[in-house]
Amino acid sequence: MRVVRSALALVVAAQAMALAVPQATPAQAPRPNIIYIITDDQGWKDVGFHGSYIKTPTIDALAAGGAKLEQYYGEPMCTPARAALMTGRYPFRYGLQTLVIPSAGRYGLPTDEWLLPQALKEAGYATTIVGKWHLGHADKKYWPRNRGFDHQYGPLLGEIDYFTHSAHGVRDWFRDDKPLKEAGYVTTLLGDEAVRVIQRRDSTRPFFLYLAFTAPHTPYQVPKEFLAQYASIEDPSRRSYAAMITAMDAEVGKVVRALESAKLRDNTIIVFQSDNGGPTSAKFTGEIDMSKSTIPPDNSPFREGKGTLYEGGTRVVAVANWPNHIPAGSVVRGPVHTVDWFPTLAGLAGAKLGTKPLDGMDMWPTLSQGAPSPRTEVVYNLEPFRAGLRQGNWKLIWQATLPSKTELFDLASDSAETTNVADKNPDEVAALKQRIEVLSREAVAPLIFGEAMPALKAQLFSSVVLPSDVKAVEDQP
């Protein structure tokens, strides 16, 4: 009996230990490699599968073999969009909701935020960023390798020349924190590096590759062989813009072929999206003056573009592809936001979500099984002077600065936002404004304000301009 009791005690102890140890879920075995591709300022219409004349055969194939996310939301501008992806939290929660980090900006994504690459690295993933960062560059504490990436290649700033790799005469090109001087077209260099990451991977670990193209952001520059494909387009900006997207698509194709050559395609999820809508105004094309040029991105059928809270500024092209896991040819018609990828990918990877509450939701049942999107609310952005909020199909855009402006749209019948129905639906307006007020009490003041005001003061209140000085001031570059 004593032997039997001892044996029973061992069994009970073993069962207790098994319950105490977190068990892997079927989705985590095997854990997928993750390639997250983000383009810069690409219009919603500017892919072949949305009916564009622009040639994007690789992206079209990913869409056909996976899921098209047709109500997918980024943020209105570059920095907020990338911050939302990295944190799984809306940018208004940590001060990156307004504009972008300028080239002379000293702030960055606060270091108390737990980022997706940190979570994946802790879970055993090899993590690499190839391409644009734009989440802080003046202090190395903001740099990618201090934010969870094992390796880094490419620019830190928001925009650079595609051939000199410089901004305002300063080269912005690095490998693992060290300045790098090399020749080549930025888009091609990024694609080549992504292929090397796949070929030289540690085969004992899954990998996370964040491939952040600068294309097709200004300046509109591209090698001649791609321009030649659009010789029939007379306008130089439109011709270059189209060629830049095709050049980028070619690099995505190289990445897919590298996966296939390494026999990794079946266990790699690929996500593709633009960061925000394409710019339709020179105010939002970047630091280069485009006021006398055509602004080529096409967000139709949606209204306006980058920098605005309308659908054209925030609803972006997006695709998710994982063979045998995401049904080929599927379409996700419910709302999905960039913040949703943090919990979705962390769930697939078995990674921890951190201690701060996320705004993102796990979309894996929606992507893999066709379940309805769990998202009933979308915060387009929340700033001290304006906000955009969607609940169900009702969307409110509230400009709080005087003269104030309130717009309400029913996206179910008016996704192009042609008809403001605020006056006819006062209860919906009141409810959405009340929700915005609640969220505003959770917001952090835009970090750019803390730098812009002192700079403005130094510029305007530290010298005197009299009539004799006006011409000299106007003639400054």
Side-chain angles (χ1 to χ4, degrees):
M1 287 296 295
R2 188 175 301 165
V3 173
V4 172
R5 284 196 297 269
S6 298
L8 287 171
L10 286 171
V11 170
V12 171
Q15 290 176 335
M17 289 177 65
L19 290 172
V21 176
Q23 301 298 300
T25 66
Q28 295 169 356
R31 299 182 298 170
N33 303 305
I34 301 165
I35 296 183
Y36 203 107
I37 303 171
I38 189 166
T39 62
D40 202 346
D41 287 8
Q42 184 174 357
W44 190 89
K45 180 75 176 291
D46 296 329
V47 286
F49 70 84
H50 278 165
S52 176
Y53 63 88
I54 298 175
K55 303 167 189 174
T56 56
T58 305
I59 301 167
D60 296 346
L62 290 173
K68 293 182 282 189
L69 283 59
E70 297 293 71
Q71 288 199 55
Y72 184 87
Y73 292 95
E75 292 285 330
M77 298 191 78
C78 302
T79 293
R82 293 154 207 278
L85 171 63
M86 289 291 114
T87 63
R89 289 158 46 84
Y90 289 127
F92 74 81
R93 299 195 184 279
Y94 39 84
L96 288 184
Q97 68 271 53
T98 298
L99 298 177
V100 300
I101 300 176
S103 294
R106 297 183 176 276
Y107 63 97
L109 178 57
T111 56
D112 62 346
E113 292 292 328
W114 178 247
L115 305 191
L116 178 60
Q118 291 174 302
L120 293 175
K121 182 176 181 178
E122 186 182 77
Y125 275 67
T127 57
T128 302
I129 175 174
V130 173
K132 174 174 169 175
W133 178 234
H134 209 188
L135 291 174
H137 52 270
D139 191 320
K140 282 193 173 182
K141 69 182 180 182
Y142 298 126
W143 287 23
R145 295 187 73 212
N146 289 320
R147 309 307 300 271
F149 285 105
D150 296 317
H151 298 290
Q152 172 273 336
Y153 174 84
L156 298 170
L157 300 175
E159 65 182 81
I160 58 173
D161 184 281
Y162 282 82
F163 293 101
T164 67
H165 314 158
S166 63
H168 306 291
V170 178
R171 188 186 308 114
D172 176 32
W173 200 250
F174 296 85
R175 183 190 295 280
D176 291 339
D177 296 352
K178 296 180 180 178
L180 179 63
K181 185 176 182 180
E182 60 181 344
Y185 180 60
V186 164
T187 303
T188 305
L189 292 174
L190 297 180
D192 289 344
E193 181 71 10
V195 169
R196 280 192 291 268
V197 170
I198 295 167
Q199 294 173 338
R200 300 175 184 177
R201 73 196 183 282
D202 179 350
S203 61
T204 66
R205 302 167 64 192
F207 66 82
F208 169 51
L209 170 58
Y210 176 42
L211 176 54
F213 287 106
T214 59
H217 195 293
T218 56
Y220 297 135
Q221 300 170 324
V222 66
K224 292 180 180 179
E225 60 266 30
F226 290 100
L227 272 177
Q229 297 184 38
Y230 296 95
S232 61
I233 300 177
E234 293 185 5
D235 183 85
S237 292
R238 292 190 187 280
R239 184 167 62 250
S240 295
Y241 174 81
M244 290 171 76
I245 293 176
T246 297
M248 177 270 297
D249 182 271
E251 298 308 312
V252 177
K254 285 162 50 175
V255 171
V256 173
R257 289 191 294 275
L259 286 173
E260 292 169 345
S261 296
K263 302 188 186 313
L264 296 173
R265 186 64 193 91
D266 287 345
N267 196 40
T268 301
I269 182 172
I270 299 176
V271 181
F272 175 92
Q273 71 159 100
S274 179
D275 53 354
N276 42 252
T280 56
S281 165
K283 292 186 297 184
F284 298 115
T285 53
E287 296 178 357
I288 295 174
D289 182 10
M290 294 290 294
S291 61
K292 297 180 181 179
S293 302
T294 302
I295 312 301
D298 186 354
N299 301 309
S300 61
F302 304 115
R303 182 175 175 178
E304 297 197 22
K306 177 184 178 180
T308 77
L309 299 180
Y310 295 113
E311 294 293 288
T314 53
R315 191 186 292 203
V316 300
V317 58
V319 169
N321 182 297
W322 185 8
N324 303 315
H325 292 81
I326 297 175
S330 57
V331 179
V332 176
R333 301 194 185 279
V336 181
H337 194 282
T338 301
V339 294
D340 295 327
W341 281 111
F342 192 130
T344 301
L345 295 176
L348 293 173
K352 295 179 182 178
L353 297 180
T355 59
K356 294 184 178 182
L358 299 185
D359 295 301
M361 300 177 177
D362 187 345
M363 290 290 170
W364 188 239
T366 300
L367 293 167
S368 62
Q369 303 167 22
S373 170
R375 179 167 291 285
T376 59
E377 178 179 273
V378 175
V379 178
Y380 290 80
N381 206 6
L382 197 154
E383 301 172 83
F385 50 90
R386 67 173 185 173
L389 178 68
R390 172 181 175 177
Q391 289 186 340
N393 287 315
W394 290 113
K395 175 180 176 180
L396 182 79
I397 298 179
W398 184 11
Q399 178 182 300
T401 50
L402 298 177
S404 63
K405 183 179 182 181
T406 299
E407 296 174 283
L408 182 72
F409 303 102
D410 180 1
L411 296 181
S413 60
D414 184 23
S415 62
E417 298 168 300
T418 60
T419 306
N420 180 6
V421 294
D423 291 343
K424 297 179 181 179
N425 298 276
D427 292 343
E428 282 75 13
V429 170
L432 290 167
K433 282 188 173 182
Q434 183 178 22
R435 174 61 175 155
I436 288 171
E437 290 282 6
V438 170
L439 290 171
S440 71
R441 289 190 279 274
E442 302 171 7
V444 172
L447 298 178
I448 194 170
F449 288 0
E451 291 197 11
M453 294 309 294
L456 186 63
K457 183 177 180 181
Q459 180 75 18
L460 296 179
F461 298 98
S462 61
S463 61
V464 175
V465 175
L466 294 173
S468 60
D469 303 321
V470 170
K471 188 176 187 308
V473 172
E474 291 177 345
D475 289 343
Q476 288 181 351

